[in-house]
Coordinates of all heavy atoms in Angstrom, one line a residue:
M1 N 89.5 212.6 140.5 CA 88.5 211.6 141.1 C 87.8 210.9 140.0 O 87.3 211.5 139.1 CB 87.5 212.4 141.8 CG 87.4 212.1 143.3 SD 86.0 212.9 144.1 CE 86.8 214.5 144.5
D2 N 87.8 209.6 140.0 CA 87.2 208.7 139.0 C 85.9 208.3 139.5 O 85.8 207.5 140.5 CB 88.1 207.5 138.7 CG 87.5 206.6 137.6 OD1 86.8 207.1 136.8 OD2 87.8 205.4 137.7
N3 N 84.8 208.7 138.9 CA 83.5 208.2 139.2 C 83.1 207.1 138.3 O 82.9 207.3 137.1 CB 82.5 209.4 139.1 CG 81.1 209.0 139.6 OD1 80.8 207.8 139.9 ND2 80.2 210.0 139.7
T4 N 83.0 205.9 138.8 CA 82.8 204.7 138.0 C 81.4 204.7 137.4 O 81.2 204.1 136.3 CB 83.0 203.4 138.7 OG1 82.1 203.4 139.9 CG2 84.4 203.2 139.2
E5 N 80.5 205.4 137.9 CA 79.1 205.5 137.4 C 79.2 206.3 136.1 O 78.3 206.0 135.2 CB 78.2 206.2 138.4 CG 77.7 205.3 139.5 CD 77.0 204.1 139.1 OE1 76.1 204.1 138.2 OE2 77.4 203.0 139.6
D6 N 80.1 207.2 135.9 CA 80.2 208.0 134.7 C 81.1 207.3 133.6 O 81.2 207.9 132.5 CB 80.7 209.4 135.0 CG 79.8 210.2 135.8 OD1 78.6 209.9 135.8 OD2 80.2 211.2 136.5
R7 N 81.7 206.2 134.0 CA 82.6 205.6 133.1 C 81.9 204.9 132.0 O 80.8 204.3 132.1 CB 83.5 204.6 133.9 CG 84.7 204.2 133.2 CD 85.6 203.4 134.2 NE 85.1 202.1 134.3 CZ 85.7 201.0 133.9 NH1 86.9 201.1 133.3 NH2 85.2 199.8 134.1
H8 N 82.5 204.8 130.8 CA 82.0 204.1 129.6 C 83.0 203.0 129.2 O 84.2 203.2 129.3 CB 81.7 205.1 128.5 CG 80.6 206.0 128.7 ND1 80.7 207.1 129.5 CD2 79.3 205.9 128.4 CE1 79.5 207.7 129.6 NE2 78.7 207.0 128.9
V9 N 82.5 201.9 128.8 CA 83.3 200.7 128.5 C 83.0 200.2 127.1 O 81.9 200.4 126.6 CB 83.2 199.6 129.6 CG1 83.7 200.1 130.9 CG2 81.8 199.1 129.6
N10 N 83.9 199.5 126.5 CA 83.6 199.0 125.2 C 82.8 197.7 125.3 O 82.5 197.2 126.5 CB 84.9 198.7 124.4 CG 85.8 197.7 125.1 OD1 85.4 196.7 125.7 ND2 87.1 197.9 124.9
E11 N 82.4 197.1 124.2 CA 81.5 195.9 124.3 C 82.2 194.7 124.9 O 81.5 193.9 125.5 CB 81.0 195.6 122.9 CG 82.0 195.2 121.9 CD 81.4 194.9 120.5 OE1 80.2 194.9 120.4 OE2 82.2 194.7 119.6
H12 N 83.5 194.6 124.8 CA 84.2 193.5 125.5 C 84.1 193.6 127.0 O 83.9 192.6 127.7 CB 85.6 193.4 124.9 CG 85.7 193.1 123.5 ND1 85.7 191.8 123.0 CD2 85.8 193.9 122.4 CE1 85.7 191.8 121.7 NE2 85.8 193.0 121.3
E13 N 84.4 194.8 127.5 CA 84.3 195.0 128.9 C 82.9 194.9 129.4 O 82.7 194.3 130.5 CB 84.9 196.4 129.3 CG 86.4 196.5 129.0 CD 86.8 198.0 129.1 OE1 86.3 198.8 128.4 OE2 87.8 198.2 129.9
A14 N 81.9 195.4 128.7 CA 80.5 195.3 129.1 C 80.1 193.8 129.1 O 79.4 193.4 130.1 CB 79.7 196.1 128.1
A15 N 80.4 193.1 128.1 CA 80.1 191.6 128.1 C 80.7 190.9 129.3 O 80.0 190.1 129.9 CB 80.5 191.0 126.8
R16 N 81.9 191.2 129.6 CA 82.6 190.6 130.8 C 81.9 191.0 132.0 O 81.6 190.1 132.9 CB 84.0 191.0 130.8 CG 84.8 190.2 131.9 CD 86.3 190.6 131.8 NE 86.9 190.7 130.5 CZ 87.4 191.9 130.0 NH1 87.4 193.0 130.7 NH2 87.9 191.9 128.8
F17 N 81.5 192.2 132.2 CA 80.8 192.7 133.4 C 79.5 192.1 133.6 O 79.2 191.7 134.8 CB 80.7 194.3 133.3 CG 80.0 194.8 134.5 CD1 80.6 195.0 135.7 CD2 78.6 195.2 134.4 CE1 80.0 195.6 136.8 CE2 78.0 195.7 135.5 CZ 78.7 195.9 136.7
I18 N 78.7 191.9 132.6 CA 77.4 191.3 132.8 C 77.4 189.7 132.5 O 76.3 189.1 132.7 CB 76.3 191.9 131.9 CG1 76.6 191.8 130.4 CG2 76.2 193.4 132.3 CD1 75.5 192.4 129.5
G19 N 78.5 189.2 132.2 CA 78.6 187.8 132.1 C 78.1 187.1 130.9 O 77.6 186.0 130.9
L20 N 78.1 187.8 129.8 CA 77.7 187.3 128.5 C 78.9 187.3 127.5 O 79.8 188.0 127.7 CB 76.6 188.2 127.9 CG 75.3 188.3 128.6 CD1 74.4 189.3 127.9 CD2 74.6 187.0 128.6
A21 N 78.8 186.4 126.5 CA 79.8 186.4 125.4 C 79.5 187.7 124.6 O 78.4 188.2 124.5 CB 79.6 185.2 124.5
V22 N 80.6 188.2 124.0 CA 80.5 189.4 123.2 C 79.4 189.2 122.0 O 78.6 190.0 121.8 CB 81.8 189.8 122.6 CG1 81.7 191.0 121.6 CG2 82.8 190.2 123.7
S23 N 79.5 188.0 121.5 CA 78.5 187.7 120.4 C 77.1 187.7 120.9 O 76.2 188.2 120.2 CB 78.9 186.3 119.7 OG 78.8 185.3 120.7
T24 N 76.8 187.3 122.1 CA 75.5 187.3 122.7 C 75.1 188.8 122.9 O 73.9 189.1 122.6 CB 75.4 186.5 124.0 OG1 75.8 185.2 123.7 CG2 74.1 186.5 124.6
L25 N 76.0 189.6 123.4 CA 75.7 191.0 123.6 C 75.4 191.7 122.3 O 74.4 192.4 122.2 CB 76.9 191.6 124.4 CG 76.7 193.1 124.7 CD1 75.5 193.3 125.6 CD2 78.0 193.7 125.3
R26 N 76.1 191.4 121.3 CA 75.9 192.0 119.9 C 74.5 191.5 119.4 O 73.8 192.3 118.9 CB 77.0 191.5 119.0 CG 78.3 192.2 119.2 CD 79.3 191.7 118.2 NE 80.6 192.3 118.5 CZ 81.8 191.8 118.1 NH1 81.8 190.7 117.4 NH2 82.9 192.5 118.4
N27 N 74.2 190.3 119.6 CA 72.9 189.8 119.1 C 71.8 190.4 119.9 O 70.8 190.8 119.2 CB 72.9 188.2 119.3 CG 71.6 187.6 118.7 OD1 71.1 188.1 117.7 ND2 71.1 186.6 119.4
R28 N 71.9 190.5 121.2 CA 70.8 191.2 121.9 C 70.7 192.7 121.6 O 69.6 193.2 121.6 CB 71.1 191.0 123.4 CG 70.8 189.6 123.9 CD 70.9 189.5 125.4 NE 70.6 188.1 125.8 CZ 70.5 187.8 127.0 NH1 70.6 188.6 128.0 NH2 70.3 186.5 127.3
R29 N 71.8 193.3 121.3 CA 71.8 194.7 120.8 C 71.0 194.8 119.5 O 70.1 195.7 119.4 CB 73.2 195.2 120.7 CG 73.3 196.7 120.4 CD 74.7 197.2 120.5 NE 75.6 196.7 119.5 CZ 76.8 196.1 119.8 NH1 77.2 196.0 121.0 NH2 77.5 195.6 118.8
C30 N 71.2 193.9 118.6 CA 70.5 193.9 117.3 C 69.0 193.7 117.5 O 68.2 194.2 116.7 CB 71.1 193.0 116.3 SG 72.7 193.4 115.8
L31 N 68.7 192.9 118.5 CA 67.3 192.6 118.8 C 66.6 193.5 119.7 O 65.4 193.3 120.1 CB 67.2 191.1 119.3 CG 67.7 190.0 118.4 CD1 67.7 188.7 119.1 CD2 66.8 189.9 117.1
D32 N 67.3 194.6 120.1 CA 66.8 195.5 121.1 C 66.4 194.9 122.4 O 65.5 195.2 123.1 CB 65.6 196.3 120.6 CG 66.0 197.3 119.5 OD1 67.1 197.8 119.5 OD2 65.1 197.5 118.6
Q33 N 67.2 193.9 122.9 CA 67.0 193.2 124.1 C 68.1 193.4 125.2 O 68.0 192.8 126.2 CB 66.8 191.7 123.8 CG 65.6 191.4 123.0 CD 65.6 189.9 122.6 OE1 66.5 189.1 122.9 NE2 64.5 189.5 122.0
G34 N 69.1 194.1 124.8 CA 70.2 194.3 125.7 C 70.2 195.6 126.4 O 69.2 196.4 126.3
P35 N 71.2 195.9 127.1 CA 71.3 197.2 127.8 C 71.5 198.4 126.8 O 71.9 198.2 125.7 CB 72.6 197.1 128.7 CG 73.4 195.9 128.1 CD 72.4 195.1 127.4
A36 N 71.1 199.6 127.2 CA 71.3 200.8 126.4 C 72.7 201.0 126.1 O 73.6 200.6 126.9 CB 70.7 202.0 127.2
Y37 N 73.0 201.6 124.9 CA 74.4 201.8 124.5 C 74.5 203.1 123.7 O 73.5 203.7 123.4 CB 74.8 200.6 123.7 CG 74.1 200.4 122.4 CD1 74.5 201.0 121.2 CD2 72.9 199.6 122.4 CE1 73.7 200.8 120.0 CE2 72.2 199.5 121.2 CZ 72.6 200.0 120.0 OH 71.9 199.8 118.9
F38 N 75.7 203.5 123.4 CA 76.0 204.7 122.7 C 76.8 204.2 121.4 O 77.6 203.3 121.5 CB 76.8 205.7 123.4 CG 76.2 206.2 124.7 CD1 76.4 205.5 125.9 CD2 75.4 207.3 124.7 CE1 75.8 206.0 127.1 CE2 74.8 207.8 125.8 CZ 75.0 207.1 127.0
K39 N 76.6 204.9 120.3 CA 77.4 204.7 119.1 C 78.2 206.0 119.0 O 77.7 207.1 118.9 CB 76.5 204.6 117.9 CG 75.8 203.3 117.8 CD 76.7 202.2 117.3 CE 77.0 202.3 115.8 NZ 77.6 201.2 115.2
V40 N 79.5 205.8 118.9 CA 80.5 206.9 118.7 C 81.2 206.5 117.4 O 82.2 205.7 117.4 CB 81.5 207.0 119.9 CG1 82.4 208.2 119.6 CG2 80.7 207.2 121.2
G41 N 80.7 207.0 116.3 CA 81.2 206.6 115.0 C 80.8 205.2 114.8 O 79.6 204.8 114.9
R42 N 81.8 204.3 114.6 CA 81.5 202.8 114.5 C 81.6 202.1 115.8 O 81.3 201.0 115.9 CB 82.4 202.2 113.4 CG 82.1 202.8 112.0 CD 83.1 202.3 111.0 NE 83.1 200.8 111.0 CZ 84.0 200.1 110.2 NH1 84.9 200.7 109.5 NH2 83.9 198.8 110.2
K43 N 82.1 202.8 116.8 CA 82.4 202.2 118.1 C 81.1 202.2 118.9 O 80.3 203.1 119.0 CB 83.5 203.0 118.8 CG 84.0 202.4 120.1 CD 85.1 203.2 120.6 CE 85.5 202.6 121.9 NZ 86.7 203.3 122.5
V44 N 80.9 201.1 119.6 CA 79.8 200.9 120.6 C 80.3 201.0 122.0 O 81.3 200.3 122.3 CB 79.0 199.6 120.4 CG1 78.0 199.4 121.4 CG2 78.4 199.5 119.0
V45 N 79.8 201.8 122.8 CA 80.2 201.9 124.2 C 78.9 201.9 125.1 O 77.9 202.2 124.8 CB 81.0 203.2 124.5 CG1 82.3 203.3 123.8 CG2 80.2 204.5 124.2
Y46 N 79.2 201.4 126.3 CA 78.1 201.2 127.4 C 78.5 202.0 128.6 O 79.7 202.1 129.0 CB 78.0 199.8 127.7 CG 77.5 198.9 126.6 CD1 78.4 198.3 125.7 CD2 76.1 198.6 126.5 CE1 77.9 197.5 124.7 CE2 75.6 197.8 125.6 CZ 76.5 197.2 124.6 OH 76.0 196.4 123.6
S47 N 77.5 202.6 129.2 CA 77.7 203.3 130.5 C 77.6 202.3 131.6 O 76.7 201.4 131.6 CB 76.6 204.4 130.6 OG 76.4 204.7 131.9
M48 N 78.6 202.4 132.5 CA 78.5 201.5 133.7 C 77.2 201.6 134.4 O 76.7 200.7 134.9 CB 79.7 201.7 134.6 CG 81.0 201.2 134.0 SD 81.0 199.5 133.6 CE 80.9 198.7 135.2
A49 N 76.7 202.9 134.6 CA 75.4 203.1 135.3 C 74.3 202.4 134.6 O 73.5 201.7 135.2 CB 75.1 204.6 135.4
E50 N 74.3 202.4 133.2 CA 73.2 201.7 132.4 C 73.4 200.2 132.6 O 72.4 199.5 132.7 CB 73.3 202.1 131.0 CG 72.9 203.5 130.6 CD 71.4 203.7 130.7 OE1 70.7 202.7 130.7 OE2 71.0 204.8 130.7
L51 N 74.6 199.7 132.6 CA 74.8 198.2 132.8 C 74.3 197.8 134.1 O 73.7 196.7 134.3 CB 76.3 197.9 132.6 CG 76.9 198.0 131.2 CD1 78.3 197.8 131.2 CD2 76.2 197.1 130.2
R52 N 74.6 198.6 135.2 CA 74.2 198.2 136.5 C 72.6 198.3 136.6 O 72.0 197.4 137.2 CB 74.8 199.2 137.6 CG 76.2 198.8 137.8 CD 76.8 199.7 139.0 NE 78.1 199.3 139.2 CZ 79.2 200.0 138.6 NH1 78.9 201.0 137.8 NH2 80.4 199.7 138.9
G53 N 72.0 199.3 136.0 CA 70.6 199.3 136.0 C 69.9 198.2 135.2 O 68.9 197.7 135.6
W54 N 70.5 197.8 134.1 CA 70.0 196.7 133.3 C 70.1 195.4 134.1 O 69.1 194.6 134.1 CB 70.8 196.6 132.0 CG 70.2 195.6 131.0 CD1 69.1 195.7 130.2 CD2 70.7 194.3 130.8 NE1 68.9 194.6 129.5 CE2 69.9 193.7 129.8 CE3 71.8 193.6 131.3 CZ2 70.1 192.4 129.3 CZ3 72.0 192.3 130.8 CH2 71.2 191.7 129.8
M55 N 71.2 195.2 134.8 CA 71.3 194.0 135.6 C 70.3 194.0 136.8 O 69.7 193.0 137.1 CB 72.8 193.9 136.2 CG 73.8 193.6 135.2 SD 73.7 192.0 134.5 CE 74.2 191.0 136.0
A56 N 70.1 195.2 137.4 CA 69.2 195.3 138.5 C 67.7 194.9 138.0 O 67.0 194.3 138.7 CB 69.2 196.7 139.1
A57 N 67.4 195.3 136.8 CA 66.1 195.0 136.2 C 65.9 193.6 136.0 O 64.7 193.1 135.9 CB 65.9 195.8 134.9
K58 N 67.0 192.8 135.8 CA 66.9 191.4 135.6 C 66.9 190.5 136.9 O 66.8 189.3 136.9 CB 68.1 190.9 134.8 CG 68.2 191.6 133.4 CD 67.1 191.2 132.5 CE 67.3 191.8 131.2 NZ 66.0 191.7 130.4
R59 N 66.9 191.2 138.0 CA 67.0 190.6 139.3 C 65.8 189.8 139.6 O 64.7 190.2 139.4 CB 67.2 191.6 140.4 CG 67.4 191.0 141.8 CD 67.6 192.1 142.8 NE 67.9 191.5 144.1 CZ 67.1 191.8 145.2 NH1 66.2 192.7 145.1 NH2 67.4 191.2 146.3
I60 N 66.0 188.5 140.0 CA 64.9 187.6 140.5 C 65.2 187.2 141.9 O 66.3 186.7 142.1 CB 64.8 186.4 139.5 CG1 64.5 186.9 138.1 CG2 63.7 185.4 140.1 CD1 64.5 185.8 137.1
T61 N 64.2 187.3 142.7 CA 64.4 186.9 144.1 C 63.6 185.7 144.4 O 62.5 185.5 143.8 CB 64.1 188.0 145.1 OG1 62.7 188.4 144.9 CG2 64.9 189.2 145.0
P62 N 64.1 184.8 145.2 CA 63.3 183.6 145.6 C 61.9 184.0 146.2 O 61.8 185.0 146.8 CB 64.2 182.9 146.7 CG 65.5 183.4 146.4 CD 65.4 184.8 145.9
G63 N 60.9 183.2 145.8 CA 59.6 183.5 146.3 C 58.8 184.4 145.4 O 57.7 184.7 145.6
G64 N 59.4 184.8 144.2 CA 58.7 185.5 143.2 C 58.7 187.0 143.4 O 58.1 187.7 142.6
E65 N 59.4 187.6 144.4 CA 59.4 189.0 144.7 C 60.4 189.6 143.6 O 61.5 189.0 143.5 CB 59.9 189.4 146.1 CG 58.9 189.0 147.1 CD 59.4 189.3 148.5 OE1 60.1 190.4 148.6 OE2 59.1 188.6 149.4
V66 N 60.1 190.7 143.0 CA 60.9 191.3 142.0 C 61.4 192.6 142.5 O 60.7 193.3 143.2 CB 60.2 191.4 140.6 CG1 61.1 192.1 139.6 CG2 59.8 190.1 140.2

């Protein structure tokens, strides 16, 4: 059974998922403005659950409701 919430993706897959360029994702990571991530040696990986949560926190609804 594959639970996509537990899946981890590389920075290219993460950038594609949230709709940013890899360079923008890297820049936001350096500025502590992007989604949470893990360092595995030199490799950066993102949890799909964290990416979904980060996207949900950025949600804006018409009329100003957040």
Side-chain angles (χ1 to χ4, degrees):
M1 242 186 274
D2 179 31
N3 186 349
T4 58
E5 286 300 312
D6 293 339
R7 197 169 78 111
H8 290 81
V9 296
N10 64 35
E11 64 184 349
H12 295 274
E13 293 170 304
R16 189 176 319 116
F17 178 76
I18 61 177
L20 295 175
V22 174
S23 59
T24 301
L25 183 60
R26 287 176 181 162
N27 186 35
R28 289 190 179 185
R29 187 169 63 234
C30 290
L31 297 173
D32 290 328
Q33 297 176 350
Y37 62 94
F38 299 91
K39 287 282 287 196
V40 182
R42 293 175 58 185
K43 186 176 179 178
V44 174
V45 294
Y46 293 87
S47 159
M48 288 301 293
E50 289 285 347
L51 292 173
R52 284 187 181 91
W54 186 78
M55 290 290 290
K58 302 293 183 195
R59 181 175 184 238
I60 299 172
T61 57
E65 293 180 34
V66 180

